[in-house]
Amino acid sequence: MTLTPARARGAGTGAQDTAAGGRRTRPAPVLRLAGGRVSVMVRPRVAAVYTGLLAATAAVFAVSLAVGDYTIALDRVLWALVGYGERLDLFFVRDVRLPRALAAVLVGAALGIAGAVFQSLSRNPLGSPDIIGFTGGASAGAVAVILVLGGSTLQVSLGAIVGGVATAGLVYLLALKRGVQGYRLVLVGIGINAMLLSVRDYLMTRAELTEAMTAQVWMIGSLNGTAWGQALTIAASCAVLMPVVLLLGRRLRLMEMGDSTAQALGVPVGCTQVAALLAASALTGAAIAVAGPIAFIALAAPQLVRRLARTSGTALMGAALMGALLLSAADLVAQRALAPTQLPVGVVTAVIGGSYLVWVLYREWRTGNA
Amino acid sequence: MSLERPSAVAGAEGEDPAAPDSVVAAHALDRRTRAAARTHLLRAGGLLVLLAALLFCAMLSVAVGAKDIPLPVVWDAVWNPDGGYDTSVVWELRLPRTVLGVFVGAALGLAGALMQGLTRNPIAEPGILGVNSGAAAAVVVAIFVFGLTSPTAYVWFGFAGAAVAAVLVYALGSRGRAGATPVRLALAGTALAAVLQGFVYGITVLNEFVFDQIRFWQVGSLVGRDLELFARIWPFLAVGIVLALALGPALNTIALGEDLAAALGAHINRTRALVALAIVLLCGGATAAAGPIWFVGLIVPHVARSMTGPDQRWLLPYSALLAAILLTGADIVGRVLPATGELEVGIITALVGAPVFIMLVRRRRMAQL
């Protein structure tokens, strides 16, 4: 095990330099294990940011188990988690609040990491599922199931996933031409997305008001009434897909330097693209199936964590942590802001997340950074 | 200042390296001048063809609908209104809708071309830069707070919302020394759109009445917009269109790059401010009048550029005419195609626009403007 300085990683494209700030110049020490086969770059700032995110998520998680119309003290929450306490405590903590809080954390993490993959593949900070058509496809699919077929919750989720994956696949195929270039992917995504959104809006105008209203709530994205079944769905998806994405992380970072460079360094570019796109799409699909197409997490989480940690490349783990924190905090606000009326969490992610991004951009650009 | 022969035409041909007294060089120069003249003639001819096509579309738009009226009768009703049924259909329903379509189309095409020219951003478009969301948020306020119920009533809200959003996004995106880069503008637009969209969602979830109104407004349509609405909005659109067309040479100079343009004596900031004003007038007017129509402002300048090249003096009028043709054409198709009822023009433009746009994206290298 040795600690050696490594050259600071240069970011891939201009777009990402702009977004990340590109301030890091000092080399970071590298932790090498098993004779150099496994190496981890040790960066105090990154470690601190990740720890902070983890702690904040845990705090939000605990609070969301405790507060509500029936408030439970934190020590009683802990007892209820391990199976002791009053029946009402047990019911609220374990059957009502725990699945919802878990789903919020996991859906947020899934969206965050998927967003990071999409942005890395498209080499564009806007290349999130929102932009490249996945979210549009999912909501069009779901709204079609709700309004045209009048389907059940399960069928709606299925419609969303089919719509999302089919759209992402279509976008990728249409963007394919001697490899997928970032800008083309984003542009094709915007095209398909606009088409799908207009189909969705058209369906909305032709539906009965109450049905359209149901579709609208679903479309915004909501965790209201999340049960164990949904929490387990997203947990299983994360358990299977997140390791795959994390394993692809190193290749993705190499590919940010350009496809030909990555190819020369021995990265199977095409395979990696397809695998990463499939895994990220599946994660987004699972998130949408559970909570609807929640806007902004996938777009903002990777950007925010890069700003906080001042890394220049994609930070997959960080994006997942940031996504988890953002969504669980947003869901807490959505539950409590206008209580007893519960807002869909998508309203909160959009308003708070968007405001925060506006503020970050304002500050960064005023000082002339980025 | 203005350059007589700016970037696109003159720049493409470059300086003549040969000695001025060389006969060969003189011949080459002559040939090149004639080629340039031919190009100009070709482009002017193309403009006339487009104008004729627009006129044809407009006449068709007045003639075609639930009750088809033969073109000669249309012609007669326009010039000699006799108070009959056909005349009232033509004057009260079809003409306002057609004129609105032409104006809104031209405005959207010009706004897109100006945005792309100013920011040199191939994905710059009114919708993407937050304008549609700003208008939607303001319309929601008009319905929720003031209880207004028709496009004519909330036209000023739509206009103000679009204008404020456009100004905010540009102000945010152009802070600091680096100025308004493509990525910055798109990020700023996305961020602001997210906030506004969240606000719209919040209100619509809490209030069914607002939702019922906004779901019809947000598809983008020329239906049910009366003469009164057009009377309110056309001065803004007209000023915006004239201003936009006048800005071609200045945009050409800016396209040389900021340093070079400044060295040549261009007033970069003044040009930017005027372009921004034109964009606000055009986007605000179009969105207030017809609702958010995606895509026209995005694809039309690309199509126009494939015909004219990057010279803004040609690109802008081509964009205006092509977009007006696209919008009136789409409106006709939406009236004729479905077996029952009508398809809103915003849906048609998206369905037609997306494949064209994707084709363009695949064919050429769009990132370079």
Side-chain angles (χ1 to χ4, degrees), chain B residues 44-69:
Chain B
L47 216 52
L48 282 180
V49 171
L50 286 182
L51 199 63
L54 178 59
L55 270 177
F56 178 73
C57 276
M59 292 202 349
L60 213 59
S61 166
V62 178
V64 172
K67 180 185 188 303
D68 287 334
I69 306 171

Side-chain angles (χ1 to χ4, degrees), chain A residues 15 18-19 124-126 131 173-177 181 183-188 190-192 194-195 197-210 212-213 216-217 219-220 295-296 299 303 307 338 341-344 346-347 350-351 353-358 361-362 364-370, chain B residues 121-123 128 169 172-178 181-192 194-209 211-212 214-219 294-295 298 302 341-344 346-348 350-352 354-355 357-358 361-367:
Chain A
T18 315
N124 190 311
L126 293 175
I131 303 277
L173 284 180
L174 286 172
L176 199 63
K177 189 181 179 186
Q181 286 175 4
Y183 241 116
R184 204 184 304 137
L185 191 68
V186 171
L187 288 169
V188 169
I190 286 174
I192 296 283
M195 197 155 91
L197 288 185
S198 75
V199 170
R200 191 196 69 193
D201 288 345
Y202 168 76
L203 289 176
M204 288 290 229
T205 63
R206 296 304 187 272
E208 295 289 323
L209 179 57
T210 45
M213 198 78 187
Q216 168 90 344
V217 170
M219 200 181 86
I220 297 169
F296 207 73
L299 177 68
Q303 297 295 315
R307 286 202 156 76
L338 297 177
T341 308
Q342 297 211 338
L343 284 172
V347 169
V351 172
S355 310
Y356 182 68
L357 188 58
V358 170
L361 300 178
Y362 177 83
E364 293 256 319
W365 292 344
R366 187 191 49 190
T367 54
N369 289 328
Chain B
N121 180 350
I123 60 169
I128 290 163
V169 167
L172 181 62
S174 57
R175 285 190 73 81
R177 272 172 294 145
T181 61
V183 176
R184 280 181 171 204
L185 276 179
L187 264 177
T190 312
L192 189 74
V195 181
L196 296 169
Q197 193 67 57
F199 170 76
V200 170
Y201 281 159
I203 302 285
T204 54
V205 164
L206 296 177
N207 188 308
E208 241 175 53
F209 175 71
F211 173 65
D212 202 22
I214 198 79
R215 69 179 170 138
F216 290 102
W217 181 81
Q218 73 181 4
V219 288
W294 298 83
F295 243 129
L298 183 65
H302 288 290
E342 289 191 9
L343 268 177
E344 283 80 0
I347 290 158
I348 305 273
L351 292 182
V352 175
F357 178 65
I358 289 165
V361 170
R362 286 181 57 82
R363 208 180 62 193
R364 49 184 60 237
R365 302 176 63 191
M366 308 216 29

Side-chain angles (χ1 to χ4, degrees), chain A residues 32 36 41 43 70 174 201 285-286 301 355:
Chain A
R32 291 192 197 284
M41 231 183 274
R43 281 170 297 173
Y70 174 78
L174 286 172
D201 288 345
S355 310

